[in-house]
Amino acid sequence: MSQQSQQETDQPVDDEFIVDTEDCEERELAHRERGTSRPITVVGNPVLHRECKDVTSFDAELAQLIDDMFASQRTAEGVGLAANQIGVDLKVFVYDCMDDEGVRHVGTVCNPVLEDLPADRRILDDSNEGCLSVPTAYASLARPDYAVVRGQDAEGNPIRVQGTGYFARCLQHETDHLYGRLYIDRLSKRDRKDALKQMEEGTPRYPVVANG
């Protein structure tokens, strides 16, 4: 997910959720220094348009992939990155995202599943959204301003992550990726066409994989 403007919202607290706000700078830097930045796949690449495979081996190869994803995310100046955005067919995403209170969240989720929200938590936030795989394009898209994702960490331990506002959007956006859905797939035909035109007319600020 690419960076965008943020809006204010309240941050709930629940001891069930992982703490992803501590030692963010040190953890992100450690991943990035071990990793190698890879080019970003863009819309049209088949790996972006199908559901990814479940992560079943929580091993050194996965750890290296996660390091490479953090390095790639930083190169592209993104706030979230799914594995298929660097061409890897696995259900894992990383994030380095500020919430609407300016609190930084850094983490990794394998095999993510968005939890259904109770009706009183489904408050839609209609804000601008962008994607590293649709470079230079932005469109307004309504999403719930609160999200809970369950999955596993890099060692295979069960985790739950919660986010509000911009961070909630990030969690939903990255989970969508791993099920073969880009944010532009949620737009009207006219808005999708406009986003693709923005992409065609723009120049990516980071390396991308050419399609075809």
Side-chain angles (χ1 to χ4, degrees):
M1 182 167 160
S2 58
Q3 298 192 47
Q4 62 185 60
S5 62
Q6 303 177 16
Q7 297 178 342
E8 291 186 0
T9 188
D10 293 327
Q11 174 71 39
V13 176
D14 190 324
D15 291 336
E16 292 183 50
F17 298 100
I18 64 164
V19 177
D20 56 7
T21 57
E22 295 178 351
D23 304 317
C24 289
E25 185 70 28
E26 295 84 353
R27 291 188 291 113
E28 191 274 340
L29 179 60
H31 282 299
R32 189 157 38 90
E33 288 185 335
R34 293 189 301 261
T36 300
S37 182
R38 306 192 202 179
I40 304 295
T41 54
V42 297
V43 59
N45 190 302
V47 75
L48 293 174
H49 302 282
R50 61 174 182 259
E51 182 175 347
C52 292
K53 297 174 182 175
D54 289 345
V55 176
T56 57
S57 298
F58 297 86
D59 53 13
E61 187 175 347
L62 176 65
Q64 186 60 60
L65 170 63
I66 290 168
D67 291 341
D68 290 354
M69 290 171 67
F70 272 103
S72 304
Q73 176 176 253
R74 176 56 69 96
T75 297
E77 299 178 7
V79 297
L81 186 75
N84 54 355
Q85 291 186 273
I86 56 170
V88 178
D89 185 16
L90 280 178
K91 283 182 182 167
V92 54
F93 72 80
V94 303
Y95 58 88
D96 181 2
C97 186
M98 304 287 276
D99 64 24
D100 290 357
E101 286 71 49
V103 177
R104 185 177 179 183
H105 299 257
V106 171
T108 302
V109 183
C110 301
N111 303 323
V113 176
L114 277 169
E115 294 189 359
D116 291 333
L117 298 177
D120 63 339
R121 296 310 305 263
R122 287 188 58 82
I123 301 171
L124 293 182
D125 171 27
D126 196 356
S127 293
N128 230 26
E129 189 160 327
C131 178
L132 298 178
S133 292
V134 193
T136 73
Y138 294 89
S140 183
L141 177 63
R143 290 191 190 264
D145 71 352
Y146 176 66
V148 176
V149 171
R150 70 176 184 271
Q152 294 163 282
D153 65 15
E155 288 75 45
N157 302 306
I159 57 172
R160 293 175 77 219
V161 184
Q162 68 173 347
T164 59
Y166 186 46
F167 183 39
R169 182 174 294 272
C170 176
L171 293 174
Q172 294 168 85
H173 179 111
E174 302 309 329
T175 300
D176 268 357
H177 266 303
L178 300 177
Y179 291 87
R181 174 173 278 180
L182 300 173
Y183 87 98
I184 59 172
D185 297 330
R186 293 185 175 275
L187 301 176
S188 67
K189 288 184 178 180
R190 184 179 68 178
D191 289 346
R192 188 180 194 277
K193 184 177 180 180
D194 180 66
L196 291 173
K197 183 179 179 182
Q198 291 179 52
M199 174 180 161
E200 183 180 342
E201 293 175 347
T203 302
R205 62 182 185 275
Y206 42 83
V208 299
V209 177
N211 294 330

